[in-house]
Amino acid sequence: MKRIVALMLATLIATFSAQSQPKSSGYPIEQVPFTSVKVAPDTFWGQRLKASREVTIPLAFSKCEETGRYDNFSNAAAHMKDPSKVFKVNGVGFSFDDTDPYKTIEGASYLLQTYPDKKLEKYVDSVIMVIASGQEPDGYLYTARTQNPDDPHHWAGPTRWSKVEDLSHEFYNLGHLCEAAVAHYRATGKRSLLDITIRYADCVCREVGDGEGQACVVPGHQIAEMGLAKLYTVTGDKRYLDMAKFFLDKRGYTTIKNSYSQSHKPVLEQDEAVGHAVRAGYMYAGMADVAALTGDKSYVEAIDRIWENIVSKKYYITGGVGATSNGEAFGENYYLPNLSAYCETCAAIAQVYLNYRLFLLHGESKYYDALERTLYNGVISGISIDGGRFFYPNPLQSTGQHQRQAWFGCACCPSNVARFIPSVPQYVYAVKDQNLYVNLFMSNSANVEVGGKQVQLKQSTNYPWNGDVEIQIEKAKGEFALNIRIPGWVRDQVVPSDLYTYVDGKRLGYSVKLNGETVESELRDGYFVIDRKWAKGDKVEIHFDMEPRLVKAHHKVEQDRGRLAIERGPLVYCAEWADNSCNVLNVMLNRKPQFELGSKMIAQTKIQTLTTDAQTLAYDEKGRMVVTDERLVLIPYYAWAHRGNGNMAVWLPYELSATTPQTPPTLASESKIGASRRIGALSSLNDGFVPKDANDRSMPYCHWWPEKNNTEWLTYTFKQESTISSSTVYWFDDQPWGGCTTPKAWRLYYQDASGAWVEVKDADGYPTKKGVACTVHFTPVKTKAVKLEVDQPENFSCGVFEWSVE
């Protein structure tokens, strides 16, 4: 009997070993793993990694504790042990809350490789034990259901997978679990989280598909495609790759078909980036993974089409994507508003994933040009320099309504940044046969296998503050080609399309020296190539000219007409209130601005500034235009909103038609605002920005969503008693897709001498048209305060762009 058991065990081990052989990523170009690159401390990225280690990761783990993320798994375990114990899951969180521990573990795993920390490793092990406790016997891992199967989270659906194409996020949770498990396994060699993940993936493979008794469904929120492909590369189990491909192949053929989740048509027929920008980015990256691993070129052709659409029509100068908060989505072609730009941090991270994979497929530097722009602007703007506060959206203009938060109830962006920043070292280098690619410039030491031989190199630079880079070969044997990316901003290309162009007439240059001697090379796909037999001590010195540049947007980008953006190297700059005595939203640049390079401290970190001459425009009390000379200071975009709330702008007018002169104060603009409940963006009520028409949603607004079928109110308290006789409201309405519409009814009240609210007399009507001036006239009354009372419809909330009183 013992011999039989031993034989069975040996067979199982052999079978598992055969399935567990790591597979190639399938890409023609291979990534250099994060475990092979050590970023130098006290440098631009060294400081970011230190902030992740000391602030972001500990904060994310502490928030998982405080907000009950771990309790969800413990509660699930308690219910499985004693079914009489059930726990409330509705109204206490989201169906994807399980992913916050997963994402934080992923980030911690990257850090454990770079900065070994026994205490952190032990803590991660304890969290994995908690996660394991919530897994059902057959591998299903979804605490939003397991805590209370008879009354699960209202997004979960009555049974497994029944709402996975909508809001359950069961596959989304699996995708992030895969990403975390692979990172943890590669960093530590431990299988604890990997085994949990395999069991859940096996459960999905058994229960989902187009076979008899299986659920033929696809993810509502994509990332499982990426995660399962990655799990396949670690385990060698082809079922995971097949499932990733199934999710893509069936998209557009199942129950739910809409552009929001990119299920409006089969993925191979898609040619435009649409819908939720994070879901889209994850799906496109997953398509690249599956294409690489299966050799299916039709996927490559589809993503190439979609990528062209993004970079030529839907890509912000900051590298962000997602023009509108309505669905956190891509807008129409060339629709790139600044004040209402959504540019979710998670969407920027997804763009890094996509561009990275397209480089691995095609080997062209243009993908890294886009990746670098997104990384230095759209991504790191989403997290404060000290690593402790976050942005969800990243607008390109603000009137003070935006501020970084220590956390969010919907914490996808903070936890996503927590996992992403520590992974940055893996994007520096890549390898193909006898070619070593240098794609990003940051001080680091690396141990890379090129052509089967170990190469050790050290990169030293103060990039992005200057364009000097030194690469020292510390160990090498034999010949290989060093491919150095020459950034697009050096080659006079803002982005890989005509969406943005430089308009200052400058022509930047670069030079490369090998062991002190200048070398020449024709660029191959954007790379300067030195192909030789290398030896220890060889030194490559690279110099990129780095000057302030003026950028103009394509004329079809209406919001940027008559405006310029300023950048230097990979960094986009902005004007912010804290550095300027003038209102930066009333500024006009000189026709040929000259810039001075300076520096200052923000968040205890030295950054480089740009200063130029400009003018501010304003109307005086008689309506005459007044022009005032100013010295305008610009800071890197990623560094804004570290010093309080205030005005900020990336795109600055240089044409008179694009300016917004300061208007004299109004009764509303000088009033104190009150509201029936705490709501965001109250400052938008009296900021002077009104929509141009009923379809313009680019102006800031406040709203009461998700409250509905009730009465809400807003108040203005005047500086002094004033006589009023009319009031105008611009109503926000995001139908047919959003949650706000115009009110069922509204009224205006004034405060009498006793402090009581009295409705204005002889009102000539309360209009409710969306996005246009809705004015009520009434008998003049002298008062210290006025109240706008709003009756919200049964199934919708209401919102307001602007409210004025005269």
Side-chain angles (χ1 to χ4, degrees):
M1 182 65 182
K2 289 181 179 179
R3 291 180 61 191
I4 295 173
V5 172
L7 181 61
M8 292 175 61
L9 183 61
T11 302
L12 284 170
I13 292 172
T15 302
F16 180 80
S17 297
Q19 289 183 337
S20 300
Q21 296 303 313
K23 300 294 181 181
S24 163
S25 69
Y27 285 99
I29 299 173
E30 289 287 338
Q31 74 175 71
V32 172
F34 69 92
T35 53
S36 298
V37 182
K38 312 295 184 188
V39 175
D42 301 322
T43 61
F44 186 90
W45 285 105
Q47 184 274 332
R48 286 282 176 171
L49 291 173
K50 181 181 179 183
S52 282
R53 184 176 78 254
E54 296 181 355
V55 179
T56 313
I57 294 295
L59 173 64
F61 277 135
S62 71
K63 290 297 181 181
C64 286
E65 293 180 10
E66 292 173 16
T67 58
R69 275 20 177 202
Y70 300 155
D71 291 342
N72 292 338
F73 295 97
S74 300
N75 292 345
H79 173 77
M80 287 188 287
K81 187 175 181 179
D82 180 358
S84 67
K85 292 182 177 179
V86 293
F87 301 88
K88 181 180 179 182
V89 291
N90 285 306
V92 294
F94 294 94
S95 60
F96 47 81
D97 283 351
D98 291 355
T99 65
D100 291 331
Y102 303 161
K103 287 183 277 188
T104 311
I105 288 174
E106 183 182 349
S109 298
Y110 295 129
L111 288 174
L112 282 172
Q113 177 63 32
T114 310
Y115 306 99
D117 184 332
K118 291 295 183 183
K119 184 178 179 181
L120 176 60
E121 186 173 357
K122 185 176 180 180
Y123 180 85
V124 170
D125 288 343
S126 71
V127 174
I128 292 172
M129 290 178 65
V130 172
I131 292 170
S133 73
Q135 188 165 32
E136 296 189 18
D138 67 350
Y140 186 70
L141 183 53
Y142 182 65
T143 67
R145 185 183 312 284
T146 307
Q147 292 181 74
N148 192 341
D150 294 331
D151 186 21
H153 193 283
H154 63 280
W155 285 3
T159 58
R160 292 182 183 183
W161 329 123
S162 58
K163 292 188 73 174
V164 75
E165 294 190 0
D166 188 12
L167 290 170
S168 81
H169 289 81
E170 286 154 294
F171 295 157
Y172 173 80
N173 292 8
L174 170 64
H176 275 297
L177 183 60
C178 290
E179 296 277 332
V182 171
H184 181 256
Y185 174 66
R186 286 175 173 166
T188 67
K190 297 178 180 179
R191 294 188 55 91
S192 51
L193 190 60
L194 184 64
D195 288 340
I196 294 168
T197 305
I198 287 171
R199 293 182 63 222
Y200 189 17
D202 288 349
C203 173
V204 171
C205 290
R206 286 193 306 271
E207 298 189 7
V208 177
D210 51 9
E212 185 177 352
Q214 291 183 308
C216 188
V217 289
V218 300
H221 193 312
Q222 301 91 315
I223 198 176
E225 301 84 350
M226 295 168 59
L228 286 166
K230 189 171 287 187
L231 187 62
Y232 163 70
T233 65
V234 169
T235 64
D237 192 330
K238 193 170 180 293
R239 291 178 303 157
Y240 307 143
L241 176 60
D242 292 342
M243 182 56 67
K245 191 171 189 300
F246 173 85
F247 285 158
L248 292 170
D249 288 344
K250 290 297 181 180
R251 197 165 207 86
Y253 293 104
T254 57
T255 304
I256 293 182
K257 299 181 179 69
N258 58 50
S259 59
Y260 173 77
S261 61
Q262 299 76 44
S263 56
H264 58 301
K265 61 173 71 172
V267 297
L268 296 182
E269 298 176 16
Q270 297 186 29
D271 55 10
E272 180 181 357
V274 297
H276 191 273
V278 182
R279 298 170 191 238
Y282 287 167
M283 186 182 83
Y284 306 150
M287 289 169 66
D289 286 341
V290 171
L293 289 164
T294 63
D296 191 333
K297 293 183 179 179
S298 58
Y299 278 105
V300 180
E301 292 167 0
I303 3 177
D304 285 347
R305 292 193 303 268
I306 294 167
W307 182 83
E308 288 289 346
N309 174 253
I310 293 172
V311 297
S312 62
K313 297 179 176 66
K314 301 191 176 187
Y315 191 59
Y316 278 93
I317 189 72
T318 56
V321 295
T324 173
S325 61
N326 183 19
E328 301 174 332
F330 287 100
E332 298 296 322
N333 289 337
Y334 298 108
Y335 179 70
L336 296 168
N338 297 309
L339 194 60
S340 63
Y342 203 68
C343 291
E344 185 180 339
T345 303
C346 290
I349 291 172
Q351 286 301 300
V352 171
Y353 295 152
L354 172 60
N355 280 289
Y356 180 54
R357 286 160 169 77
L358 288 174
F359 162 75
L360 295 178
L361 280 172
H362 299 303
E364 297 176 54
S365 68
K366 64 182 181 180
Y367 302 109
Y368 253 94
D369 291 341
L371 185 156
E372 181 182 65
R373 178 171 294 276
T374 299
L375 179 63
Y376 277 96
N377 302 287
V379 171
I380 63 174
S381 62
I383 182 171
S384 61
I385 293 170
D386 65 7
R389 300 184 74 82
F390 308 89
F391 269 144
Y392 200 108
N394 294 268
L396 279 73
Q397 185 174 325
S398 178
T399 58
Q401 72 270 42
H402 303 95
Q403 58 183 323
R404 299 179 189 275
Q405 302 289 335
W407 204 252
F408 300 96
C410 175
C412 58
C413 288
S415 56
N416 217 1
V417 172
R419 82 182 179 114
F420 176 77
I421 295 296
S423 76
V424 166
Q426 72 183 353
Y427 297 102
V428 180
Y429 303 105
V431 173
K432 181 182 181 182
D433 303 324
Q434 299 293 122
N435 292 272
L436 172 60
Y437 292 87
V438 181
N439 286 315
L440 293 177
F441 307 106
M442 63 182 72
S443 294
N444 70 86
S445 57
N447 193 339
V448 185
E449 186 176 297
V450 184
K453 297 179 180 178
Q454 289 299 314
V455 175
Q456 292 180 7
L457 65 157
K458 181 180 180 182
Q459 187 182 149
S460 303
T461 182
N462 197 30
Y463 197 89
W465 305 123
N466 70 42
D468 295 322
V469 182
E470 179 184 290
I471 298 173
Q472 184 87 26
I473 304 297
E474 299 190 328
K475 177 184 177 181
K477 287 185 179 180
E479 184 175 336
F480 66 87
L482 188 68
N483 295 255
I484 304 163
R485 182 176 65 92
I486 308 301
W489 57 262
V490 177
R491 296 181 287 109
D492 209 44
Q493 187 177 58
V494 185
V495 296
S497 71
D498 65 352
L499 185 58
Y500 303 106
T501 52
Y502 292 117
V503 292
D504 50 25
K506 295 179 181 179
R507 291 294 181 268
L508 303 188
Y510 66 91
S511 63
V512 179
K513 292 182 179 180
L514 173 62
N515 297 329
E517 299 291 329
T518 299
V519 290
E520 303 291 341
S521 171
E522 290 187 5
L523 296 188
R524 301 179 195 169
D525 294 325
Y527 288 87
F528 186 101
V529 182
I530 307 176
D531 194 345
R532 71 189 298 268
K533 186 174 182 179
W534 296 88
K536 180 180 179 179
D538 284 341
K539 184 169 69 173
V540 178
E541 296 170 278
I542 308 153
H543 170 77
F544 302 129
D545 291 344
M546 191 177 282
E547 297 182 20
R549 302 299 307 270
L550 300 176
V551 181
K552 187 177 181 179
H554 193 286
H555 68 90
K556 289 185 178 180
V557 183
E558 180 182 348
Q559 292 79 7
D560 297 337
R561 289 176 190 164
R563 296 173 181 269
L564 296 173
I566 295 94
E567 58 184 44
R568 182 176 181 270
L571 298 176
V572 173
Y573 277 69
C574 68
E576 191 184 17
W577 68 277
D579 308 296
N580 297 280
S581 57
C582 62
N583 185 341
V584 299
L585 300 183
N586 306 136
V587 160
M588 185 170 75
L589 293 173
N590 290 350
R591 300 291 290 183
K592 295 183 178 180
Q594 301 297 312
F595 297 92
E596 294 178 8
L597 188 63
S599 65
K600 69 167 30 188
M601 300 296 291
I602 295 181
Q604 299 181 325
T605 302
K606 187 177 182 180
I607 60 100
Q608 290 186 351
T609 61
L610 299 174
T611 303
T612 188
D613 290 326
Q615 294 82 41
T616 51
L617 281 65
Y619 292 106
D620 65 14
E621 293 180 356
K622 295 182 178 180
R624 298 174 301 185
M625 182 70 73
V626 177
V627 179
T628 305
D629 290 333
E630 306 284 355
R631 289 290 284 170
L632 185 67
V633 178
L634 308 174
I635 63 170
Y637 170 75
Y638 77 79
W640 82 282
H642 280 83
R643 298 163 292 178
N645 297 18
N647 293 344
M648 180 278 294
V650 169
W651 289 95
L652 302 172
Y654 75 101
E655 296 280 6
L656 193 60
S657 59
T659 60
T660 307
Q662 179 75 49
T663 57
T666 65
L667 194 57
S669 69
E670 293 190 315
S671 296
K672 180 181 177 181
I673 305 173
S676 50
R677 65 181 68 245
R678 186 176 180 180
I679 57 177
L682 277 176
S683 61
S684 64
L685 284 175
N686 58 1
D687 61 8
F689 291 102
V690 299
K692 65 179 182 180
D693 57 42
N695 297 314
D696 181 11
R697 296 170 185 159
S698 65
M699 296 295 107
Y701 57 90
C702 66
H703 60 80
W704 287 282
W705 190 88
E707 303 298 327
K708 50 194 171 188
N709 195 28
N710 66 348
T711 299
E712 303 285 356
W713 51 262
L714 299 164
T715 61
Y716 280 154
T717 301
F718 307 143
K719 277 189 171 182
Q720 57 189 22
E721 199 171 46
S722 302
T723 299
I724 58 173
S725 60
S726 70
S727 182
T728 299
V729 182
Y730 287 82
W731 299 108
F732 172 76
D733 184 315
D734 58 2
Q735 293 304 298
W737 306 114
C740 290
T741 190
T742 55
K744 184 166 57 177
W746 63 286
R747 296 164 295 282
L748 204 69
Y749 296 82
Y750 69 92
Q751 196 171 53
D752 67 13
S754 68
W757 292 106
V758 180
E759 188 170 358
V760 296
K761 293 180 173 58
D762 301 323
D764 62 358
Y766 292 101
T768 57
K769 293 183 178 180
K770 71 174 185 178
V772 297
C774 294
T775 303
V776 57
H777 299 89
F778 47 87
T779 301
V781 60
K782 196 170 186 178
T783 183
K784 288 184 178 181
V786 63
K787 179 166 76 170
L788 172 67
E789 196 171 77
V790 179
D791 292 339
Q792 299 198 121
E794 181 178 357
N795 297 313
F796 296 96
S797 300
C798 295
V800 180
F801 282 112
E802 190 78 7
W803 175 31
S804 63
V805 182
E806 295 188 15

